[in-house]
Amino acid sequence: MPFLTLLQPDRKPLSQLSRKVLSETIFSATQPNAIVQDFETFIEFLQLHKVEVSANQQAIAPKYLADLNSRLSHPVTIDFQRPSQKSYSYIHGLYLLLRGSAIAVVKLDKKKNILSVDPQVLTSWQGLNAIEKYFNLLATWIYYSSEDIMDNDRRALPEWYFVVSSWGTIAKENLNFTDNSTNNSPNNSKSNEWLNRLKLHNVALLNLFGFIELQDTEPLAGKGWRLTKAKASPFGKALMELLEKTDWKRGLFNEAEDDLFIEPRSEPRPVDTKLNVVVQKSTPTEILQEEFQALDLFPEWENNLELPEPKTQDGVFVFKVSLQTYVQKSQDKFSKETIWRKIAIPSHLTLYDFSSAILKAFDFANDHLHQFTYKDRQGFVKNIYHPYTQHGEGDGFTDEILLRNWQINVGDRITYVFDFGDWWEFNVVLESIDEPDPKLKKAKVIEQKGKAPQQYGDDDEE
């Protein structure tokens, strides 16, 4: 697709050598390396198996890892008794790409969390040519791939910054990795520092994307993947120079629309009639495409991966809202108990209405701020705030968002926090979305267990 760049800054010319390397590179499932092939192998694996993931980090269950590792172009050898997803660096890097691209999403299936392939996004992926697949995955790595999705935290500094900042080390000289106890040479120290800063899954991705060439050997007893040598490839040097000559960082501050969307206000915002240029927001991938093609490179890159438009979900939302509390059994003995309420609420109501329903169900006064925290389809944490909260504009306010527009799925786990001082933290699970009920006009409790705790202790002042 064509792009118009306004106020384009002066670009430094790309070296003739780098332009030649990039122009002559053939892109296929296995060239410049096997990133596309392994990505599609991972997708096929998810289609063949119901791959379970953990509830909190959503990491792949260990029982699938050895089989998946054996199917990849670069299977790694490790000597861990209890390997985890992160033990297999190529699997871990590819997993982050699958989640960041939204081709793979976590869904609930018979009370198990399953890493599933989104058929609509997969269809879009299958419509791309080889060069489009390669650069869409590169854009995913640059802008979206992050271990933050496994840490239940908001997205911080992208890992790509560490890749770029450490590139100069390997671009200048080949790196050798040996046991520090037997070799304390400056090169060895620099190599291991580079390795520790990057993290092994980013090293694996640099290899899969064709940026670097790696050599490895058998692991030490009880240890993981053991690298021996690494060097930058001509293609990697050329592509890194291309990135240096472009303003790819624009995409970091112009991310694609969130899965969350808000009902239009009754009155439109004022429009500045002096503006005669309509600027359409580009996705980060489109920005990268624009930057590269402004230097007359990769004309075959025309299309990009498309994510589904947010859809409304009409009906009756049934949530199970749980609260852990301590009950005094004797003078010096307490036990932890979980009390819960099942709340049915029609989809035309707002998240503020849902918040009020939770508080009413637990006999709390609605006299403090609140927030809902959940993960979007790419695994990143989102917060929706009480309308009086000052910092909630990024993800929205609870009085603006209807339940029907909240992009969550059955089985999703949500955290509801009420009163930022006392910090009452409720666990919320969307159990079902039932057919609309014209008789149900407001939220109601349909099941419950346990006695609600006192909102304020005897010594608290209201």
Side-chain angles (χ1 to χ4, degrees):
M1 60 186 297
F3 292 94
L4 174 63
T5 304
L6 301 178
L7 301 177
Q8 178 64 47
D10 294 335
R11 295 181 182 272
K12 297 179 181 180
L14 190 66
S15 69
Q16 291 185 354
L17 176 59
S18 291
R19 180 175 292 277
K20 183 175 185 296
V21 169
L22 295 173
S23 299
E24 294 179 354
T25 298
I26 298 174
F27 290 87
S28 69
T30 57
Q31 291 180 284
N33 205 346
I35 182 62
V36 172
Q37 174 183 285
D38 280 1
F39 188 78
E40 293 183 333
T41 296
F42 207 139
I43 291 174
E44 292 171 2
F45 189 84
L46 296 181
Q47 292 175 313
L48 289 171
H49 306 276
K50 285 188 175 183
V51 177
E52 299 172 35
V53 297
S54 60
N56 293 325
Q57 289 195 327
Q58 298 182 338
I60 296 173
K63 62 183 177 181
Y64 304 99
L65 297 174
D67 185 6
L68 177 56
N69 177 60
S70 69
R71 297 168 186 251
L72 301 179
S73 62
H74 299 72
V76 300
T77 305
I78 61 176
D79 192 40
F80 291 135
Q81 290 187 348
R82 297 181 179 179
S84 67
Q85 176 180 304
K86 292 184 179 182
S87 304
Y88 295 93
S89 301
Y90 288 97
I91 290 178
H92 187 46
L94 289 165
Y95 169 89
L96 296 178
L97 291 180
L98 280 162
R99 296 299 309 279
S101 66
I103 287 181
V105 294
V106 177
K107 295 184 177 180
L108 190 69
D109 185 358
K110 297 179 180 178
K111 297 185 178 181
K112 293 182 179 180
N113 292 297
I114 304 297
L115 187 62
S116 306
V117 177
D118 186 300
Q120 189 171 344
V121 185
L122 178 61
T123 298
S124 176
W125 168 261
Q126 293 170 335
L128 303 179
N129 62 37
I131 195 170
E132 291 166 345
K133 288 179 177 178
Y134 178 91
F135 283 112
N136 270 260
L137 289 180
L138 180 62
T140 299
W141 188 18
I142 292 174
Y143 299 116
Y144 296 110
S145 178
S146 172
E147 287 190 306
D148 291 341
I149 67 173
M150 305 181 73
D151 295 333
N152 293 317
D153 201 1
R154 294 185 66 83
R155 183 168 17 185
L157 191 66
E159 294 184 36
W160 183 253
Y161 264 121
F162 301 105
V163 176
V164 171
S165 63
S166 63
W167 177 255
T169 301
I170 195 170
K172 292 177 182 178
E173 58 180 320
N174 298 343
L175 302 180
N176 295 312
F177 309 100
T178 56
D179 185 356
N180 280 329
S181 63
T182 60
N183 186 345
N184 290 314
S185 67
N187 180 272
N188 181 68
S189 177
K190 183 185 298 183
S191 298
N192 285 286
E193 180 184 348
W194 177 83
L195 200 61
N196 293 332
R197 185 167 66 248
L198 261 186
K199 297 184 180 180
L200 281 174
H201 69 275
N202 284 321
V203 176
L205 288 178
L206 279 172
N207 177 232
L208 279 181
F209 276 97
F211 283 81
I212 63 174
E213 300 170 11
L214 295 175
Q215 293 182 25
D216 57 12
T217 188
E218 291 297 312
L220 298 173
K223 300 294 183 180
W225 186 33
R226 188 182 181 195
L227 293 174
T228 57
K229 294 182 180 180
K231 68 175 182 178
S233 68
F235 172 79
K237 291 180 179 179
L239 192 51
M240 278 298 190
E241 183 189 340
L242 174 61
L243 285 165
E244 182 183 346
K245 300 297 172 62
T246 60
D247 190 16
W248 61 270
K249 295 178 184 177
R250 285 196 298 128
L252 295 173
F253 308 103
N254 194 23
E255 294 178 359
E257 292 294 331
D258 293 332
D259 285 340
L260 182 68
F261 67 104
I262 299 172
E263 287 288 285
R265 297 179 182 274
S266 57
E267 296 184 4
R269 297 183 184 275
V271 178
D272 187 347
T273 56
K274 296 180 182 179
L275 294 176
N276 54 12
V277 176
V278 177
V279 179
Q280 184 173 359
K281 185 177 181 180
S282 299
T283 68
T285 303
E286 290 170 340
I287 288 172
L288 189 68
Q289 179 184 9
E290 174 187 353
E291 290 291 325
F292 285 1
Q293 294 184 343
L295 294 175
D296 298 322
L297 289 168
F298 314 124
E300 302 91 345
W301 182 3
E302 296 181 352
N303 302 299
N304 292 306
L305 194 65
E306 295 182 358
L307 301 186
E309 292 293 328
K311 295 180 179 180
T312 59
Q313 301 182 94
D314 289 310
V316 176
F317 283 58
V318 178
F319 293 96
K320 184 176 182 179
V321 184
S322 305
L323 178 65
Q324 286 193 340
T325 183
Y326 288 89
V327 177
Q328 187 171 7
K329 297 296 185 180
S330 61
Q331 186 174 356
D332 57 353
K333 186 177 181 180
F334 291 81
S335 66
K336 185 168 66 173
E337 296 185 0
T338 300
I339 63 174
W340 53 264
R341 307 286 186 264
K342 278 191 182 180
I343 299 174
I345 180 170
S347 58
H348 70 271
L349 297 179
T350 67
L351 268 69
Y352 190 95
D353 296 322
F354 180 39
S355 167
S356 300
I358 294 173
L359 299 177
K360 183 178 180 181
F362 286 86
D363 299 320
F364 280 22
N366 193 356
D367 54 357
H368 290 283
L369 303 181
H370 61 246
Q371 73 179 41
F372 289 95
T373 301
Y374 70 106
K375 285 191 173 185
D376 66 11
R377 64 182 297 118
Q378 290 166 301
F380 291 106
V381 170
K382 300 289 184 181
N383 291 317
I384 305 175
Y385 296 96
H386 188 285
Y388 293 166
T389 307
Q390 298 299 314
H391 56 282
E393 294 183 359
D395 297 333
F397 297 104
T398 55
D399 65 338
E400 296 178 317
I401 300 163
L402 303 181
L403 286 168
R404 68 197 298 268
N405 293 338
W406 194 9
Q407 298 302 290
I408 57 174
N409 298 306
V410 172
D412 281 359
R413 291 172 169 83
I414 302 145
T415 300
Y416 170 72
V417 174
F418 173 70
D419 187 348
F420 299 153
D422 287 342
W423 198 266
W424 290 96
E425 184 171 311
F426 298 80
N427 296 314
V428 181
V429 177
L430 176 59
E431 292 203 329
S432 64
I433 302 177
D434 299 339
E435 291 296 318
D437 181 358
K439 297 181 181 179
L440 186 65
K441 304 298 183 182
K442 59 183 181 179
K444 71 174 183 179
V445 175
I446 56 176
E447 288 185 48
Q448 65 179 28
K449 177 186 177 182
K451 181 181 178 181
Q454 286 187 321
Q455 180 179 359
Y456 299 106
D458 294 336
D459 296 332
D460 290 341
E461 295 182 3
E462 298 189 24

